[in-house]
Amino acid sequence: MIGYGFMGATHSQAWRTAPRVFDLPRGVEMAVIVGRDAEAVEAARAKWGWAEAATDWREVVARDDIDVIDIVTPGSSHAEIAIAALEAGKHVLCEKPLANTVAEAEVMAAAARAARERGVRSMLGFTYRRVPALTHARDLIAAGRIGTVQQVRAAYRQDWLVDPKAPLSWRLQKDLAGSGALGDIGGHAVDLVQFLTGQRVTRVTGVLETIVRQRPVETERSGIAGVGGDELGDVTVDDLAIFTGRLDSGVLASFEATRFATGRKNELRVEVSGTEGAIAFDLEDLNVLWLYDRTAPATEQGFARVIVTEPGHPYLEGWWPAGHMLGYEHGFSHQVKDLVDAIAAGSDPEPGFDEGLHGQRVLDAVERSAARDAAWTAVDDD
Ligand code: SOE
């Protein structure tokens, strides 16, 4: 694993847990965790149970005894590490977003295609696809349970930047993060809409806003927000993104991504409306899927609250007896399960880097639209 921040913690837990919960076709050994700060990475190693800590990712990527490289660094280093790992014949799991720019994402997707010819797999960590309620929603939509999709709405809303004193952490710096709320959490919204509907966003119109333009420079990394000092620095990314997308079928989807939705901690709401019914989901209540069946008798109309903790629901086979809840971290274990299954089966895990490249192009189109006063902009897929 390269990196040891918040996503390092979630992925470490998943590598430890997945083999203990699911019958994986291959064993998992948590070999090496890598970071530039020797003391900090050693602390992470000891806490999360990796066998070794190291400070040079290139040395680790070159080692014969490593099969998989898991990249949990900021987006600015994804391309360099992923390409080196793929060229060295390592399977790669890369945290979202794929990269910070379309150009980087293109090179990464090309490297993944070339590696695939040699049986090397790559996967992008859009973990929410593996929240059981959302996987179940995708299955219901694909099975035609809500009929033909006619409208979609997706909003990812957090509030950890409402305080103007919240420091200038890496997520607020364009050179490290690529974009702000747009890429960090809007990317999840775009991915989920495409995952749930099986359609791609082809055109967008959008606006971006930076609400607090200067913040205390970070003196210490801690959690998402970090700790700041007296010196101020410029915020170089968006705080809020509001955009509309047109899907392959012509259906319109509305999107919102914000870190300024006061009181909303990690609200990711998605609603897909069809001719025969609808599904609705909120990450703040992640074991629940709301399902509306328009064909039910008039006297029984209304969204039903489905508790997605039962036998037969996706990924539930490994966990607790029916009715016992799952949380944020479980999706990461499901991601490891699906990656290891795909490696053993010689199949491609999803989403792959090509899908990540398309996602990057959607984000880029939103930025280009916003720069032209929200003009409709095509998502330039080759
Ligand atoms: C911070 O906004 C963050 O941790 C994102 O980076 C993650 O992708 C999301 O899962 C939760 O929020």
Side-chain angles (χ1 to χ4, degrees), residues 198-218:
Q199 297 188 41
R200 285 189 160 196
V201 176
T202 59
R203 298 174 65 74
V204 296
T205 164
V207 287
L208 302 174
E209 187 104 324
T210 304
I211 297 168
V212 173
R213 291 173 177 273
Q214 286 207 315
R215 290 183 176 275
V217 171
E218 192 179 52

PDB file of all heavy atoms in Angstrom, residues 198-218:
ATOM      1  N   GLY A 198     -26.580   2.360 -15.593  1.00  0.00           N
ATOM      2  CA  GLY A 198     -25.902   1.679 -16.697  1.00  0.00           C
ATOM      3  C   GLY A 198     -25.707   2.607 -17.883  1.00  0.00           C
ATOM      4  O   GLY A 198     -25.479   2.155 -19.008  1.00  0.00           O
ATOM      5  N   GLN A 199     -25.796   3.921 -17.648  1.00  0.00           N
ATOM      6  CA  GLN A 199     -25.638   4.891 -18.732  1.00  0.00           C
ATOM      7  C   GLN A 199     -24.485   5.840 -18.410  1.00  0.00           C
ATOM      8  O   GLN A 199     -24.094   5.983 -17.268  1.00  0.00           O
ATOM      9  CB  GLN A 199     -26.911   5.731 -18.876  1.00  0.00           C
ATOM     10  CG  GLN A 199     -28.123   4.912 -19.252  1.00  0.00           C
ATOM     11  CD  GLN A 199     -29.305   5.810 -19.568  1.00  0.00           C
ATOM     12  OE1 GLN A 199     -29.168   6.838 -20.216  1.00  0.00           O
ATOM     13  NE2 GLN A 199     -30.470   5.419 -19.094  1.00  0.00           N
ATOM     14  N   ARG A 200     -23.994   6.496 -19.462  1.00  0.00           N
ATOM     15  CA  ARG A 200     -22.903   7.455 -19.261  1.00  0.00           C
ATOM     16  C   ARG A 200     -23.392   8.886 -19.383  1.00  0.00           C
ATOM     17  O   ARG A 200     -24.326   9.161 -20.157  1.00  0.00           O
ATOM     18  CB  ARG A 200     -21.826   7.223 -20.304  1.00  0.00           C
ATOM     19  CG  ARG A 200     -21.009   5.987 -19.997  1.00  0.00           C
ATOM     20  CD  ARG A 200     -19.819   5.884 -20.911  1.00  0.00           C
ATOM     21  NE  ARG A 200     -18.823   5.004 -20.326  1.00  0.00           N
ATOM     22  CZ  ARG A 200     -17.563   4.932 -20.713  1.00  0.00           C
ATOM     23  NH1 ARG A 200     -17.117   5.691 -21.691  1.00  0.00           N
ATOM     24  NH2 ARG A 200     -16.719   4.111 -20.133  1.00  0.00           N
ATOM     25  N   VAL A 201     -22.744   9.786 -18.659  1.00  0.00           N
ATOM     26  CA  VAL A 201     -23.010  11.219 -18.820  1.00  0.00           C
ATOM     27  C   VAL A 201     -22.305  11.667 -20.097  1.00  0.00           C
ATOM     28  O   VAL A 201     -21.105  11.414 -20.270  1.00  0.00           O
ATOM     29  CB  VAL A 201     -22.475  12.020 -17.613  1.00  0.00           C
ATOM     30  CG1 VAL A 201     -22.672  13.511 -17.821  1.00  0.00           C
ATOM     31  CG2 VAL A 201     -23.137  11.558 -16.318  1.00  0.00           C
ATOM     32  N   THR A 202     -23.043  12.311 -21.007  1.00  0.00           N
ATOM     33  CA  THR A 202     -22.454  12.688 -22.300  1.00  0.00           C
ATOM     34  C   THR A 202     -22.269  14.194 -22.466  1.00  0.00           C
ATOM     35  O   THR A 202     -21.442  14.631 -23.265  1.00  0.00           O
ATOM     36  CB  THR A 202     -23.338  12.198 -23.468  1.00  0.00           C
ATOM     37  OG1 THR A 202     -24.634  12.781 -23.315  1.00  0.00           O
ATOM     38  CG2 THR A 202     -23.455  10.683 -23.477  1.00  0.00           C
ATOM     39  N   ARG A 203     -23.099  14.981 -21.778  1.00  0.00           N
ATOM     40  CA  ARG A 203     -23.006  16.444 -21.880  1.00  0.00           C
ATOM     41  C   ARG A 203     -23.309  17.031 -20.519  1.00  0.00           C
ATOM     42  O   ARG A 203     -24.088  16.451 -19.765  1.00  0.00           O
ATOM     43  CB  ARG A 203     -24.046  16.993 -22.872  1.00  0.00           C
ATOM     44  CG  ARG A 203     -23.891  16.512 -24.289  1.00  0.00           C
ATOM     45  CD  ARG A 203     -25.047  17.001 -25.159  1.00  0.00           C
ATOM     46  NE  ARG A 203     -25.065  18.458 -25.311  1.00  0.00           N
ATOM     47  CZ  ARG A 203     -24.230  19.132 -26.073  1.00  0.00           C
ATOM     48  NH1 ARG A 203     -23.312  18.488 -26.764  1.00  0.00           N
ATOM     49  NH2 ARG A 203     -24.287  20.436 -26.169  1.00  0.00           N
ATOM     50  N   VAL A 204     -22.723  18.170 -20.213  1.00  0.00           N
ATOM     51  CA  VAL A 204     -22.975  18.788 -18.902  1.00  0.00           C
ATOM     52  C   VAL A 204     -23.103  20.306 -19.022  1.00  0.00           C
ATOM     53  O   VAL A 204     -22.613  20.916 -19.981  1.00  0.00           O
ATOM     54  CB  VAL A 204     -21.823  18.500 -17.900  1.00  0.00           C
ATOM     55  CG1 VAL A 204     -21.711  17.024 -17.590  1.00  0.00           C
ATOM     56  CG2 VAL A 204     -20.499  19.049 -18.400  1.00  0.00           C
ATOM     57  N   THR A 205     -23.753  20.875 -18.034  1.00  0.00           N
ATOM     58  CA  THR A 205     -23.721  22.326 -17.835  1.00  0.00           C
ATOM     59  C   THR A 205     -23.579  22.536 -16.331  1.00  0.00           C
ATOM     60  O   THR A 205     -24.282  21.877 -15.553  1.00  0.00           O
ATOM     61  CB  THR A 205     -24.982  23.032 -18.373  1.00  0.00           C
ATOM     62  OG1 THR A 205     -25.040  24.352 -17.816  1.00  0.00           O
ATOM     63  CG2 THR A 205     -26.264  22.310 -18.029  1.00  0.00           C
ATOM     64  N   GLY A 206     -22.653  23.413 -15.911  1.00  0.00           N
ATOM     65  CA  GLY A 206     -22.449  23.503 -14.470  1.00  0.00           C
ATOM     66  C   GLY A 206     -21.803  24.788 -14.009  1.00  0.00           C
ATOM     67  O   GLY A 206     -21.251  25.552 -14.809  1.00  0.00           O
ATOM     68  N   VAL A 207     -21.900  25.012 -12.700  1.00  0.00           N
ATOM     69  CA  VAL A 207     -21.224  26.158 -12.086  1.00  0.00           C
ATOM     70  C   VAL A 207     -20.400  25.664 -10.899  1.00  0.00           C
ATOM     71  O   VAL A 207     -20.752  24.676 -10.258  1.00  0.00           O
ATOM     72  CB  VAL A 207     -22.220  27.243 -11.597  1.00  0.00           C
ATOM     73  CG1 VAL A 207     -22.805  27.997 -12.769  1.00  0.00           C
ATOM     74  CG2 VAL A 207     -23.315  26.657 -10.730  1.00  0.00           C
ATOM     75  N   LEU A 208     -19.304  26.371 -10.635  1.00  0.00           N
ATOM     76  CA  LEU A 208     -18.430  26.069  -9.501  1.00  0.00           C
ATOM     77  C   LEU A 208     -18.288  27.325  -8.670  1.00  0.00           C
ATOM     78  O   LEU A 208     -18.282  28.434  -9.222  1.00  0.00           O
ATOM     79  CB  LEU A 208     -17.041  25.642  -9.988  1.00  0.00           C
ATOM     80  CG  LEU A 208     -16.962  24.429 -10.916  1.00  0.00           C
ATOM     81  CD1 LEU A 208     -15.534  24.241 -11.414  1.00  0.00           C
ATOM     82  CD2 LEU A 208     -17.435  23.189 -10.183  1.00  0.00           C
ATOM     83  N   GLU A 209     -18.145  27.170  -7.386  1.00  0.00           N
ATOM     84  CA  GLU A 209     -18.017  28.337  -6.514  1.00  0.00           C
ATOM     85  C   GLU A 209     -16.987  28.042  -5.422  1.00  0.00           C
ATOM     86  O   GLU A 209     -16.995  26.940  -4.856  1.00  0.00           O
ATOM     87  CB  GLU A 209     -19.384  28.578  -5.853  1.00  0.00           C
ATOM     88  CG  GLU A 209     -19.443  29.824  -5.061  1.00  0.00           C
ATOM     89  CD  GLU A 209     -20.217  30.927  -5.783  1.00  0.00           C
ATOM     90  OE1 GLU A 209     -20.128  31.018  -7.030  1.00  0.00           O
ATOM     91  OE2 GLU A 209     -20.904  31.656  -5.088  1.00  0.00           O
ATOM     92  N   THR A 210     -16.106  29.013  -5.158  1.00  0.00           N
ATOM     93  CA  THR A 210     -15.223  28.911  -3.996  1.00  0.00           C
ATOM     94  C   THR A 210     -15.733  29.920  -2.982  1.00  0.00           C
ATOM     95  O   THR A 210     -15.674  31.135  -3.219  1.00  0.00           O
ATOM     96  CB  THR A 210     -13.754  29.187  -4.376  1.00  0.00           C
ATOM     97  OG1 THR A 210     -13.399  28.281  -5.423  1.00  0.00           O
ATOM     98  CG2 THR A 210     -12.824  28.980  -3.191  1.00  0.00           C
ATOM     99  N   ILE A 211     -16.254  29.441  -1.879  1.00  0.00           N
ATOM    100  CA  ILE A 211     -16.949  30.322  -0.927  1.00  0.00           C
ATOM    101  C   ILE A 211     -15.952  30.997   0.017  1.00  0.00           C
ATOM    102  O   ILE A 211     -16.027  32.193   0.246  1.00  0.00           O
ATOM    103  CB  ILE A 211     -18.024  29.510  -0.160  1.00  0.00           C
ATOM    104  CG1 ILE A 211     -19.082  29.013  -1.170  1.00  0.00           C
ATOM    105  CG2 ILE A 211     -18.680  30.348   0.935  1.00  0.00           C
ATOM    106  CD1 ILE A 211     -20.038  27.978  -0.628  1.00  0.00           C
ATOM    107  N   VAL A 212     -15.002  30.244   0.561  1.00  0.00           N
ATOM    108  CA  VAL A 212     -13.947  30.823   1.410  1.00  0.00           C
ATOM    109  C   VAL A 212     -12.642  30.726   0.622  1.00  0.00           C
ATOM    110  O   VAL A 212     -12.167  29.635   0.323  1.00  0.00           O
ATOM    111  CB  VAL A 212     -13.842  30.074   2.757  1.00  0.00           C
ATOM    112  CG1 VAL A 212     -12.645  30.563   3.556  1.00  0.00           C
ATOM    113  CG2 VAL A 212     -15.124  30.256   3.569  1.00  0.00           C
ATOM    114  N   ARG A 213     -12.064  31.892   0.286  1.00  0.00           N
ATOM    115  CA  ARG A 213     -10.950  31.909  -0.664  1.00  0.00           C
ATOM    116  C   ARG A 213      -9.563  31.819  -0.031  1.00  0.00           C
ATOM    117  O   ARG A 213      -8.580  31.555  -0.707  1.00  0.00           O
ATOM    118  CB  ARG A 213     -11.057  33.150  -1.552  1.00  0.00           C
ATOM    119  CG  ARG A 213     -12.239  33.019  -2.472  1.00  0.00           C
ATOM    120  CD  ARG A 213     -12.540  34.238  -3.279  1.00  0.00           C
ATOM    121  NE  ARG A 213     -13.647  33.922  -4.164  1.00  0.00           N
ATOM    122  CZ  ARG A 213     -13.525  33.375  -5.367  1.00  0.00           C
ATOM    123  NH1 ARG A 213     -12.338  33.080  -5.839  1.00  0.00           N
ATOM    124  NH2 ARG A 213     -14.586  33.114  -6.097  1.00  0.00           N
ATOM    125  N   GLN A 214      -9.491  32.103   1.265  1.00  0.00           N
ATOM    126  CA  GLN A 214      -8.197  31.954   1.959  1.00  0.00           C
ATOM    127  C   GLN A 214      -8.419  31.219   3.272  1.00  0.00           C
ATOM    128  O   GLN A 214      -9.435  31.440   3.945  1.00  0.00           O
ATOM    129  CB  GLN A 214      -7.598  33.325   2.247  1.00  0.00           C
ATOM    130  CG  GLN A 214      -7.037  34.010   1.020  1.00  0.00           C
ATOM    131  CD  GLN A 214      -5.932  34.970   1.412  1.00  0.00           C
ATOM    132  OE1 GLN A 214      -6.097  35.727   2.370  1.00  0.00           O
ATOM    133  NE2 GLN A 214      -4.825  34.932   0.706  1.00  0.00           N
ATOM    134  N   ARG A 215      -7.458  30.376   3.627  1.00  0.00           N
ATOM    135  CA  ARG A 215      -7.583  29.592   4.866  1.00  0.00           C
ATOM    136  C   ARG A 215      -6.213  29.463   5.530  1.00  0.00           C
ATOM    137  O   ARG A 215      -5.178  29.605   4.866  1.00  0.00           O
ATOM    138  CB  ARG A 215      -8.118  28.198   4.552  1.00  0.00           C
ATOM    139  CG  ARG A 215      -9.572  28.181   4.118  1.00  0.00           C
ATOM    140  CD  ARG A 215     -10.053  26.764   3.884  1.00  0.00           C
ATOM    141  NE  ARG A 215     -11.471  26.749   3.557  1.00  0.00           N
ATOM    142  CZ  ARG A 215     -12.460  26.745   4.436  1.00  0.00           C
ATOM    143  NH1 ARG A 215     -12.182  26.759   5.735  1.00  0.00           N
ATOM    144  NH2 ARG A 215     -13.721  26.733   4.060  1.00  0.00           N
ATOM    145  N   PRO A 216      -6.213  29.129   6.847  1.00  0.00           N
ATOM    146  CA  PRO A 216      -4.931  28.939   7.533  1.00  0.00           C
ATOM    147  C   PRO A 216      -4.146  27.789   6.896  1.00  0.00           C
ATOM    148  O   PRO A 216      -4.707  26.723   6.624  1.00  0.00           O
ATOM    149  CB  PRO A 216      -5.346  28.562   8.960  1.00  0.00           C
ATOM    150  CG  PRO A 216      -6.757  29.019   9.096  1.00  0.00           C
ATOM    151  CD  PRO A 216      -7.372  28.996   7.733  1.00  0.00           C
ATOM    152  N   VAL A 217      -2.878  28.038   6.643  1.00  0.00           N
ATOM    153  CA  VAL A 217      -2.010  26.992   6.091  1.00  0.00           C
ATOM    154  C   VAL A 217      -1.922  25.845   7.103  1.00  0.00           C
ATOM    155  O   VAL A 217      -1.797  26.083   8.311  1.00  0.00           O
ATOM    156  CB  VAL A 217      -0.612  27.577   5.785  1.00  0.00           C
ATOM    157  CG1 VAL A 217       0.384  26.483   5.426  1.00  0.00           C
ATOM    158  CG2 VAL A 217      -0.723  28.610   4.669  1.00  0.00           C
ATOM    159  N   GLU A 218      -2.000  24.627   6.612  1.00  0.00           N
ATOM    160  CA  GLU A 218      -2.012  23.455   7.504  1.00  0.00           C
ATOM    161  C   GLU A 218      -0.655  23.261   8.168  1.00  0.00           C
ATOM    162  O   GLU A 218       0.380  23.287   7.503  1.00  0.00           O
ATOM    163  CB  GLU A 218      -2.374  22.227   6.678  1.00  0.00           C
ATOM    164  CG  GLU A 218      -2.693  21.014   7.506  1.00  0.00           C
ATOM    165  CD  GLU A 218      -3.079  19.826   6.630  1.00  0.00           C
ATOM    166  OE1 GLU A 218      -2.325  19.496   5.698  1.00  0.00           O
ATOM    167  OE2 GLU A 218      -4.126  19.239   6.895  1.00  0.00           O
TER     168      GLU A 218
END
